[in-house]
Amino acid sequence: MLRPIKEVYSSTEYPDLMVGLDSPDDAAIWWIDAHRAIVLTTDFFTPVVDDPYDYGAIAAANSISDIYAMGGTPFLALNIAAFPPKLPSEILAEIIRGGAEKAREAGVVIAGGHTVQDEEPKYGLVVIGFVDPDHLITKGGAKPGDQLVLTKPLGFGITNTAIKDELTSDIEVAEVVDWMKQLNQVASQLAVANDVRGGTDITGFSLLGHASEVARASRVGMQLSFSKIPFVSGARKYAELYKFPGGAFDNRSHFREQIHLGSGISETEELMLYDPQTSGGLLLAIPPDKFESFQTQALKSDQSFWKIGEVISGHGIEISR
């Protein structure tokens, strides 16, 4: 019988592996010296939009985001892709171009990669970055009193489902595509500058799923206010039409035992918080004495943010109206 992978690569056997299989974090961290560690991650997925250039850019932004989520600076990447053999070369070129130009925006060099044939397109990146071990952001770093900030709105999954059903306006499509293409670079830099130690990015497990991982890893609780949580403009409308992707129901089934809903929150609103995101924003636990500084710097940098709650003692996540 094969040994579980966590047994094969134990943290005691590889002490320089600062973050790995024992942690729910977004990327692996390998210690180099007192001031540097390597951050390594990979991600890829099927198209979420019709435009091949936008798909490539979104996939690249999503892949790079795991480096930012841990307070790192990305610098090198490899393409990883699977394309149908009948896919026109012009479409393939646009996907790769979208990824390359988004990587260049992030200061990342794509140095090669690998492509295989598959029936459905898939594209993403392997990304390497550096991080200062003393400024590492992990899911286990949140503390009671930290202010919870979200740097992008939610509702990408709902809107993308509505796009597939041809219900959305051009304005709604452009809005969600623009958000998904946006790098989390500035948000990460501001987090590091303000001594943030707890955080993650919001992707497929949804806000509540990823917040639950932070709460559990940090051994804390959270209080969230639904009225303060931002959504893209079409999310509520399409949620009322029950245009939830299947992942929203999977997320609720997996994480709901840790969630305590206050009175007045409907099932539709609950599911909106379980909506899986593609290339979502960062959820940051900002030390209370640094929040004003973060706010000032974010406004100067034109970095979007919403204060949605607070870290508390205890466990689980409480959601009030």
Side-chain angles (χ1 to χ4, degrees):
M1 180 180 294
L2 293 175
R3 293 168 60 196
I5 192 169
K6 287 186 179 181
E7 292 182 21
V8 177
Y9 299 107
S10 67
S11 57
T12 55
E13 189 175 359
Y14 297 95
D16 291 335
L17 183 61
M18 298 176 64
V19 177
L21 292 170
D22 295 333
S23 164
D25 278 296
D26 301 293
I29 307 288
W30 187 272
W31 188 85
I32 299 175
D33 57 38
H35 303 291
R36 291 184 306 162
I38 290 176
V39 195
L40 177 64
T41 186
T42 185
D43 202 350
F44 63 102
F45 50 74
T46 57
V48 293
V49 293
D50 291 332
D51 184 273
Y53 177 89
D54 286 340
Y55 165 46
I58 291 166
N62 180 77
S63 299
I64 296 168
S65 180
D66 284 345
I67 305 293
Y68 293 137
M70 303 198 72
T73 301
F75 72 94
L76 189 65
L78 301 174
N79 284 320
I80 179 169
F83 294 124
K86 295 181 180 180
L87 188 72
S89 59
E90 296 82 5
I91 293 178
L92 170 60
E94 280 298 281
I95 294 172
I96 298 299
R97 186 172 72 89
E101 292 190 358
K102 184 56 61 174
R104 180 185 291 273
E105 180 185 337
V108 172
V109 176
I110 296 182
H114 189 66
T115 301
V116 299
Q117 292 185 357
D118 200 352
E119 291 303 313
E120 190 171 15
K122 301 173 182 68
Y123 175 69
L125 301 175
V126 177
V127 190
I128 300 175
F130 286 120
V131 67
D132 185 335
D134 289 335
H135 295 278
L136 185 62
I137 299 172
T138 69
K139 290 179 180 174
K143 296 181 179 180
D146 287 351
Q147 304 298 292
L148 292 169
V149 163
L150 187 63
T151 64
K152 289 186 186 181
L154 306 178
F156 300 170
I158 299 167
T159 306
N160 285 331
T161 301
I163 290 172
K164 292 175 183 177
D165 291 343
E166 300 182 345
L167 297 174
T168 51
S169 68
D170 291 344
I171 293 175
E172 290 168 338
V173 173
E175 178 189 13
V176 74
V177 168
D178 285 348
W179 278 116
M180 289 190 293
K181 287 166 62 175
Q182 185 181 114
L183 294 171
N184 285 321
Q185 183 177 42
V186 174
S188 176
Q189 292 169 344
L190 294 178
V192 171
N194 287 282
D195 298 331
V196 172
R197 295 292 178 266
T200 185
D201 59 346
I202 305 302
T203 53
F205 286 161
S206 75
L207 172 64
L208 291 187
H210 289 292
S212 294
E213 290 181 326
V214 173
R216 184 169 59 247
S218 297
R219 298 181 181 180
V220 295
M222 292 181 181
Q223 289 181 332
L224 304 181
S225 173
F226 183 86
S227 63
K228 295 181 180 179
I229 296 172
F231 294 91
V232 291
S233 60
R236 168 71 74 166
K237 174 174 58 177
Y238 298 120
E240 294 293 346
L241 294 174
Y242 226 64
K243 295 299 177 181
F244 294 102
F249 302 97
D250 293 339
N251 288 335
R252 181 172 66 171
S253 177
H254 186 74
F255 293 106
R256 69 188 312 170
E257 290 186 4
Q258 302 173 61
I259 309 301
H260 309 286
L261 292 174
S263 60
I265 297 177
S266 67
E267 181 192 19
T268 297
E269 292 170 333
E270 176 192 11
L271 283 168
M272 290 172 73
L273 300 179
Y274 286 112
D275 183 40
Q277 307 300 287
T278 299
S279 190
L282 301 184
L283 176 67
L284 302 172
I286 301 176
D289 61 333
K290 294 291 184 176
F291 180 75
E292 185 174 344
S293 171
F294 176 91
Q295 179 175 247
T296 299
Q297 293 172 26
L299 292 172
K300 287 182 179 178
S301 304
D302 199 27
Q303 170 60 54
S304 58
F305 72 95
W306 293 263
K307 180 184 172 185
I308 64 170
E310 184 176 343
V311 179
I312 60 173
S313 300
H315 63 275
I317 298 177
E318 303 172 6
I319 305 171
S320 65
R321 188 67 192 168

mmCIF file of all heavy atoms in Angstrom, residues 15 22 49-50 57 99 120 126 166 171 183 193 195 204 210 227 244 246 253 267 281 286:
data_model
loop_
_atom_site.group_PDB
_atom_site.id
_atom_site.type_symbol
_atom_site.label_atom_id
_atom_site.label_comp_id
_atom_site.label_asym_id
_atom_site.label_seq_id
_atom_site.Cartn_x
_atom_site.Cartn_y
_atom_site.Cartn_z
ATOM 1 N N PRO A 15 13.039 20.238 7.446
ATOM 2 C CA PRO A 15 12.803 21.420 8.292
ATOM 3 C C PRO A 15 12.796 22.739 7.537
ATOM 4 O O PRO A 15 12.257 23.725 8.037
ATOM 5 C CB PRO A 15 13.961 21.359 9.306
ATOM 6 C CG PRO A 15 15.020 20.531 8.631
ATOM 7 C CD PRO A 15 14.283 19.530 7.814
ATOM 8 N N ASP A 22 1.282 20.180 5.566
ATOM 9 C CA ASP A 22 0.679 20.246 6.901
ATOM 10 C C ASP A 22 -0.179 21.487 7.094
ATOM 11 O O ASP A 22 -0.813 21.648 8.126
ATOM 12 C CB ASP A 22 1.773 20.234 7.979
ATOM 13 C CG ASP A 22 2.549 18.927 7.992
ATOM 14 O OD1 ASP A 22 1.969 17.905 7.577
ATOM 15 O OD2 ASP A 22 3.721 18.934 8.398
ATOM 16 N N VAL A 49 -14.540 32.730 -19.365
ATOM 17 C CA VAL A 49 -15.081 33.754 -20.266
ATOM 18 C C VAL A 49 -14.843 33.292 -21.703
ATOM 19 O O VAL A 49 -14.031 32.403 -21.962
ATOM 20 C CB VAL A 49 -14.420 35.133 -20.042
ATOM 21 C CG1 VAL A 49 -14.784 35.694 -18.670
ATOM 22 C CG2 VAL A 49 -12.899 35.034 -20.189
ATOM 23 N N ASP A 50 -15.544 33.901 -22.643
ATOM 24 C CA ASP A 50 -15.432 33.494 -24.045
ATOM 25 C C ASP A 50 -14.189 34.054 -24.733
ATOM 26 O O ASP A 50 -13.610 33.395 -25.598
ATOM 27 C CB ASP A 50 -16.678 33.935 -24.823
ATOM 28 C CG ASP A 50 -17.924 33.172 -24.405
ATOM 29 O OD1 ASP A 50 -17.778 32.008 -23.960
ATOM 30 O OD2 ASP A 50 -19.034 33.744 -24.507
ATOM 31 N N ALA A 57 -5.428 36.110 -19.458
ATOM 32 C CA ALA A 57 -5.061 37.113 -18.451
ATOM 33 C C ALA A 57 -5.635 36.768 -17.087
ATOM 34 O O ALA A 57 -4.961 36.911 -16.059
ATOM 35 C CB ALA A 57 -5.548 38.487 -18.902
ATOM 36 N N GLY A 99 -1.988 35.671 -21.011
ATOM 37 C CA GLY A 99 -1.230 35.279 -19.830
ATOM 38 C C GLY A 99 0.113 35.974 -19.749
ATOM 39 O O GLY A 99 0.532 36.434 -18.679
ATOM 40 N N GLU A 120 -10.807 19.598 -23.475
ATOM 41 C CA GLU A 120 -11.264 20.904 -23.013
ATOM 42 C C GLU A 120 -10.066 21.774 -22.679
ATOM 43 O O GLU A 120 -9.127 21.304 -22.027
ATOM 44 C CB GLU A 120 -12.156 20.753 -21.774
ATOM 45 C CG GLU A 120 -12.869 22.028 -21.372
ATOM 46 C CD GLU A 120 -13.898 21.796 -20.278
ATOM 47 O OE1 GLU A 120 -13.859 20.733 -19.646
ATOM 48 O OE2 GLU A 120 -14.742 22.678 -20.067
ATOM 49 N N VAL A 126 2.708 27.874 -13.385
ATOM 50 C CA VAL A 126 3.525 27.575 -12.206
ATOM 51 C C VAL A 126 4.274 28.860 -11.901
ATOM 52 O O VAL A 126 4.896 29.433 -12.799
ATOM 53 C CB VAL A 126 4.527 26.439 -12.486
ATOM 54 C CG1 VAL A 126 5.412 26.208 -11.269
ATOM 55 C CG2 VAL A 126 3.800 25.171 -12.887
ATOM 56 N N GLU A 166 -26.414 33.365 -21.096
ATOM 57 C CA GLU A 166 -26.679 34.514 -21.968
ATOM 58 C C GLU A 166 -27.722 35.460 -21.370
ATOM 59 O O GLU A 166 -28.606 35.962 -22.066
ATOM 60 C CB GLU A 166 -27.117 34.036 -23.352
ATOM 61 C CG GLU A 166 -26.066 33.184 -24.053
ATOM 62 C CD GLU A 166 -26.486 32.746 -25.447
ATOM 63 O OE1 GLU A 166 -27.680 32.858 -25.776
ATOM 64 O OE2 GLU A 166 -25.606 32.283 -26.203
ATOM 65 N N ILE A 171 -22.201 45.451 -19.973
ATOM 66 C CA ILE A 171 -21.630 46.179 -18.832
ATOM 67 C C ILE A 171 -21.328 45.227 -17.683
ATOM 68 O O ILE A 171 -20.267 45.310 -17.049
ATOM 69 C CB ILE A 171 -22.584 47.300 -18.376
ATOM 70 C CG1 ILE A 171 -22.675 48.383 -19.460
ATOM 71 C CG2 ILE A 171 -22.113 47.914 -17.057
ATOM 72 C CD1 ILE A 171 -23.677 49.476 -19.147
ATOM 73 N N LEU A 183 -4.700 42.362 -10.733
ATOM 74 C CA LEU A 183 -3.712 41.735 -9.860
ATOM 75 C C LEU A 183 -3.944 42.122 -8.401
ATOM 76 O O LEU A 183 -4.433 43.214 -8.107
ATOM 77 C CB LEU A 183 -2.304 42.170 -10.262
ATOM 78 C CG LEU A 183 -1.798 41.705 -11.630
ATOM 79 C CD1 LEU A 183 -0.489 42.413 -11.964
ATOM 80 C CD2 LEU A 183 -1.601 40.195 -11.655
ATOM 81 N N ALA A 193 3.387 45.979 4.300
ATOM 82 C CA ALA A 193 3.829 47.244 4.890
ATOM 83 C C ALA A 193 3.151 47.535 6.216
ATOM 84 O O ALA A 193 3.684 48.293 7.040
ATOM 85 C CB ALA A 193 3.566 48.391 3.912
ATOM 86 N N ASP A 195 2.193 45.106 8.497
ATOM 87 C CA ASP A 195 2.411 44.005 9.443
ATOM 88 C C ASP A 195 1.269 42.997 9.490
ATOM 89 O O ASP A 195 1.000 42.405 10.541
ATOM 90 C CB ASP A 195 2.679 44.549 10.856
ATOM 91 C CG ASP A 195 3.934 45.397 10.919
ATOM 92 O OD1 ASP A 195 4.856 45.138 10.113
ATOM 93 O OD2 ASP A 195 3.995 46.314 11.758
ATOM 94 N N GLY A 204 -11.835 29.360 -5.201
ATOM 95 C CA GLY A 204 -12.896 28.388 -5.388
ATOM 96 C C GLY A 204 -13.687 27.982 -4.170
ATOM 97 O O GLY A 204 -14.838 27.546 -4.290
ATOM 98 N N HIS A 210 -12.847 29.983 2.544
ATOM 99 C CA HIS A 210 -11.476 30.419 2.827
ATOM 100 C C HIS A 210 -11.369 31.111 4.182
ATOM 101 O O HIS A 210 -10.363 30.965 4.882
ATOM 102 C CB HIS A 210 -10.985 31.333 1.706
ATOM 103 C CG HIS A 210 -10.730 30.594 0.420
ATOM 104 N ND1 HIS A 210 -9.710 29.685 0.280
ATOM 105 C CD2 HIS A 210 -11.368 30.625 -0.776
ATOM 106 C CE1 HIS A 210 -9.723 29.188 -0.948
ATOM 107 N NE2 HIS A 210 -10.723 29.738 -1.603
ATOM 108 N N SER A 227 -24.127 43.098 5.400
ATOM 109 C CA SER A 227 -24.396 44.380 4.743
ATOM 110 C C SER A 227 -23.122 45.092 4.308
ATOM 111 O O SER A 227 -23.166 45.991 3.462
ATOM 112 C CB SER A 227 -25.196 45.294 5.668
ATOM 113 O OG SER A 227 -24.456 45.596 6.843
ATOM 114 N N PHE A 244 -26.575 29.878 -9.324
ATOM 115 C CA PHE A 244 -25.374 29.546 -8.566
ATOM 116 C C PHE A 244 -24.620 28.408 -9.252
ATOM 117 O O PHE A 244 -25.238 27.428 -9.681
ATOM 118 C CB PHE A 244 -25.731 29.119 -7.139
ATOM 119 C CG PHE A 244 -26.328 30.204 -6.305
ATOM 120 C CD1 PHE A 244 -27.699 30.246 -6.079
ATOM 121 C CD2 PHE A 244 -25.539 31.193 -5.760
ATOM 122 C CE1 PHE A 244 -28.255 31.243 -5.303
ATOM 123 C CE2 PHE A 244 -26.080 32.201 -4.986
ATOM 124 C CZ PHE A 244 -27.444 32.228 -4.760
ATOM 125 N N GLY A 246 -22.343 25.004 -9.355
ATOM 126 C CA GLY A 246 -22.406 23.839 -8.476
ATOM 127 C C GLY A 246 -21.468 23.930 -7.290
ATOM 128 O O GLY A 246 -21.762 23.401 -6.205
ATOM 129 N N SER A 253 -22.024 22.647 1.744
ATOM 130 C CA SER A 253 -22.052 21.320 2.354
ATOM 131 C C SER A 253 -20.795 21.052 3.174
ATOM 132 O O SER A 253 -20.857 20.463 4.255
ATOM 133 C CB SER A 253 -22.200 20.264 1.254
ATOM 134 O OG SER A 253 -22.152 18.964 1.794
ATOM 135 N N GLU A 267 -31.665 32.222 2.408
ATOM 136 C CA GLU A 267 -30.859 31.171 1.798
ATOM 137 C C GLU A 267 -30.093 31.712 0.591
ATOM 138 O O GLU A 267 -28.938 31.345 0.358
ATOM 139 C CB GLU A 267 -31.743 30.003 1.358
ATOM 140 C CG GLU A 267 -30.924 28.869 0.742
ATOM 141 C CD GLU A 267 -31.773 27.827 0.035
ATOM 142 O OE1 GLU A 267 -32.932 28.130 -0.290
ATOM 143 O OE2 GLU A 267 -31.261 26.723 -0.214
ATOM 144 N N GLY A 281 -10.276 38.569 -4.611
ATOM 145 C CA GLY A 281 -9.402 39.469 -3.862
ATOM 146 C C GLY A 281 -8.760 38.805 -2.665
ATOM 147 O O GLY A 281 -8.876 37.588 -2.449
ATOM 148 N N ILE A 286 -6.028 42.640 9.482
ATOM 149 C CA ILE A 286 -5.132 43.772 9.723
ATOM 150 C C ILE A 286 -5.077 44.097 11.216
ATOM 151 O O ILE A 286 -6.122 44.288 11.853
ATOM 152 C CB ILE A 286 -5.610 45.001 8.933
ATOM 153 C CG1 ILE A 286 -5.646 44.671 7.434
ATOM 154 C CG2 ILE A 286 -4.697 46.200 9.192
ATOM 155 C CD1 ILE A 286 -6.199 45.781 6.572
#
